[in-house]
């Protein structure tokens, strides 16, 4: 009976232990599923946050790009160029109808004449811009401008005559109409020429270094005509592209003036030697100045130079040359077998030179330097 009860107690304990294990496993499974759900939710929130940040950055980038395009489009230069072309088109559109009606009334075969007149004016105006771009001679540009002015003036005269004879208008209105048609005929070419003039000045102003180089070349040729002529002959005598202009200038300068350095002449070399000699002589002190310097140095020191030849101290001070080894005391001992290390110099172990000695040494060094400079200048 007792065994049966013990067996039942063991079974009950085992069942309870199994229930606890099942509950722990279920709780662990639930916690794992909850963690996975939390991780998925966190990843989803992070993804949504990243997408929102990307959308915000895209909006900022697009806004910046639109602002850059707008700023590039609305620059003063672009507005000026675009406005000029629009004004030129409006001028041509206002000028052509009157000319077409005028020549068409005379004869239908004259209808292409207005197009030829306006086309000639605008082709010549484009030719001025091309001549500026290619750097053609000035007379070419002025010839094209004269042709533009001729065509525009002829078209303006036709429009003036047509406007003055319009039917149904008073004399004042007819005069205003004729003046307006003549003005629009001249306005287009005039505005286009002003635009080209402004563009040329802007290009010339932007290249300051090139303009300065041209001004320097003109000044050099004006100041040194002989050298410039000889350099041109050297360049023309050499094969094309083999002799540089600066190298030719250096050779011409050496031939004309005999100096390898451009800018120097024999007269300038002589002046340089005289100036160097005068400077060396000015720096060399006289006997009175040298005597005064040495005397001033001796007054402030502890030494005098008697006629006997030896330096006699006025006050008791250390000599100029001091022994670097301490004095021995007593009977000298037998020298050790091992050779001792040599003494080391230390800061302050020797008294400083006196003012008189420093003055004399400086004067000697200065005299040597001045002599060397004069010898090299000669």
């Amino acid at each position: 009976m007792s065994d049966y009860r013990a067996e039942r107690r063991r079974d009950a304990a085992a069942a309870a232990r199994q229930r606890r294990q099942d509950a722990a496993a279920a709780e662990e499974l639930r916690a794992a599923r909850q963690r996975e759900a939390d991780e998925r939710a966190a990843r989803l929130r992070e993804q949504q946050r990243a997408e929102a940040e990307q959308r915000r950055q895209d909006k900022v980038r697009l806004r910046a790009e639109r602002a850059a395009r707008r700023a590039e489009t609305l620059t003063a230069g672009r507005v000026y160029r675009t406005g000029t072309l629009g004004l030129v088109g409006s001028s041509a559109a206002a000028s052509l109808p009157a000319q077409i009606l005028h020549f068409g009334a005379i004869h239908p075969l004259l209808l292409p004449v207005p197009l030829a007149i306006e086309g000639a004016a605008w082709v010549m105006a484009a030719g001025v811009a091309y001549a500026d771009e290619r750097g053609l001679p000035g007379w070419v540009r002025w010839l094209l401008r004269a042709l533009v002015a001729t065509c525009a003036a002829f078209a303006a005269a036709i429009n003036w005559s047509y406007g003055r004879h319009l039917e149904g208008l008073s004399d004042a209105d007819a005069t205003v109409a004729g003046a307006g048609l003549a003005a629009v005929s001249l306005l287009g070419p005039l505005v286009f020429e002003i635009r080209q003039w402004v563009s040329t000045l802007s290009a010339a102003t932007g290249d300051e270094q090139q303009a300065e180089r041209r001004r320097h070349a003109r000044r050099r040729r004006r100041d040194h005509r002989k050298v410039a002529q000889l350099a041109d002959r050297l360049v023309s005598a050499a094969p094309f592209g083999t002799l540089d202009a600066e190298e030719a200038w250096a050779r011409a300068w050496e031939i004309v003036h005999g100096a390898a350095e451009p800018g120097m002449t024999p007269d300038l070399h002589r002046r340089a030697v005289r100036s160097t000699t005068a400077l060396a002589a000015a720096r060399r002190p006289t006997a009175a100045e040298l005597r005064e310097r040495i005397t001033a140095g001796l007054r402030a020191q502890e030494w005098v130079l008697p006629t006997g030849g030896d330096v006699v101290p006025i006050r008791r001070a250390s000599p100029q040359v001091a022994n670097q080894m301490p004095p021995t005391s007593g009977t000298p001992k037998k020298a050790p077998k091992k050779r001792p290390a040599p003494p080391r110099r230390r800061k302050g172990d020797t008294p400083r030179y006196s003012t008189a000695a420093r003055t004399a040494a400086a004067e000697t060094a200065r005299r040597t330097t001045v002599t060397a400079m004069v010898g090299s200048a000669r």
Side-chain angles (χ1 to χ4, degrees):
M1 189 66 177
S2 59
D3 294 338
Y4 174 73
R5 292 177 178 174
E7 184 67 25
R8 291 192 61 184
R9 285 196 298 271
R10 286 194 295 272
D11 292 342
R17 185 167 56 255
Q18 185 63 37
R19 286 194 299 274
R20 288 193 299 272
Q21 292 177 356
D22 293 342
E27 180 64 22
E28 184 177 357
L29 181 60
R30 186 191 65 79
R33 291 176 177 175
Q34 185 62 36
R35 285 194 301 272
E36 292 178 358
D38 294 341
E39 291 176 357
R40 284 195 300 271
R43 287 195 298 269
L44 182 60
R45 288 193 301 271
E46 183 66 24
Q47 183 178 358
Q48 292 175 352
R49 187 163 49 251
E51 291 176 354
E53 180 66 21
Q54 185 64 34
R55 287 194 297 270
R56 188 185 67 80
Q57 292 180 358
D58 292 341
K59 290 181 180 179
V60 172
R61 180 176 54 80
L62 291 176
R63 192 179 300 113
E65 290 178 355
R66 286 195 298 268
R69 286 195 300 269
R70 185 167 55 253
E72 184 180 357
T73 304
L74 298 179
T75 56
R78 184 178 292 273
V79 171
Y80 177 68
R81 290 190 296 269
T82 306
T84 302
L85 294 179
L87 187 59
V88 166
S90 301
S91 172
S95 175
L96 275 176
Q99 299 180 52
I100 292 174
L101 292 176
H102 177 76
F103 284 101
I106 297 174
H107 196 278
L109 294 179
L110 299 179
L111 288 176
V113 174
L115 299 176
I117 296 173
E118 291 290 334
W122 292 115
V123 168
M124 295 301 106
V128 174
Y130 179 76
D132 287 336
E133 180 183 354
R134 302 295 294 178
L136 298 181
W139 66 268
V140 177
R141 284 171 280 184
W142 285 109
L143 176 61
L144 294 174
R145 289 189 178 101
L147 294 176
V148 172
T150 302
C151 295
F154 182 64
I158 293 173
N159 286 341
W160 165 260
S161 176
Y162 182 80
R164 286 283 294 141
H165 296 86
L166 286 176
E167 298 179 356
L169 298 178
S170 62
D171 292 339
D173 293 340
T175 302
V176 172
L181 291 175
V184 295
S185 298
L186 297 174
L187 183 63
L190 179 62
V191 171
F192 189 82
E193 178 60 29
I194 293 174
R195 173 186 176 274
Q196 185 60 31
W197 179 58
V198 172
S199 301
T200 304
L201 289 180
S202 301
T205 305
D207 195 359
E208 289 292 340
Q209 185 176 5
Q210 188 68 22
E212 184 63 28
R213 187 179 293 110
R214 289 194 296 268
R215 286 193 293 269
H216 171 71
R218 288 195 298 269
R219 287 195 303 268
R220 187 163 71 166
R221 295 186 68 87
R222 183 178 63 251
D223 297 338
H224 311 283
R225 297 182 184 276
K226 293 183 179 180
V227 179
Q229 294 173 0
L230 182 57
D232 294 340
R233 288 199 296 270
L234 291 177
V235 173
S236 63
F240 178 76
T242 58
L243 183 60
D244 186 69
E246 293 299 328
E247 184 179 356
W249 184 272
R251 292 183 184 178
W253 187 274
E254 187 173 2
I255 293 172
V256 174
H257 297 288
E261 181 181 359
M264 294 301 295
T265 61
D267 182 57
L268 292 179
H269 277 292
R270 285 191 294 270
R271 291 174 57 184
V273 171
R274 287 196 300 268
S275 300
T276 305
T277 305
L279 179 61
R283 288 181 175 178
R284 186 184 302 114
T286 62
E289 292 176 349
L290 182 60
R291 189 183 309 108
E292 180 64 25
R293 292 181 186 179
I294 297 178
T295 305
L298 292 176
R299 289 197 193 101
Q301 292 300 316
E302 302 173 350
W303 304 90
V304 294
L305 299 176
T307 57
D310 296 330
V311 177
V312 180
I314 296 176
R315 303 184 186 92
R316 295 298 179 180
S318 301
Q320 288 289 345
V321 181
N323 189 8
Q324 306 299 325
M325 297 296 294
T328 58
S329 60
T331 306
K333 299 181 180 180
K334 186 177 181 181
K337 295 181 180 180
K338 185 177 180 181
R339 187 175 183 180
R344 294 183 178 179
R345 295 295 304 271
R346 291 179 175 83
K347 186 177 180 180
D349 59 356
T350 302
R352 298 179 60 185
Y353 289 105
S354 65
T355 303
R358 289 198 300 271
T359 303
E363 188 59 37
T364 302
R366 187 182 300 109
R367 189 182 303 110
T368 304
T369 304
V370 171
T371 304
M373 291 175 59
V374 174
S376 61
R378 293 176 181 175

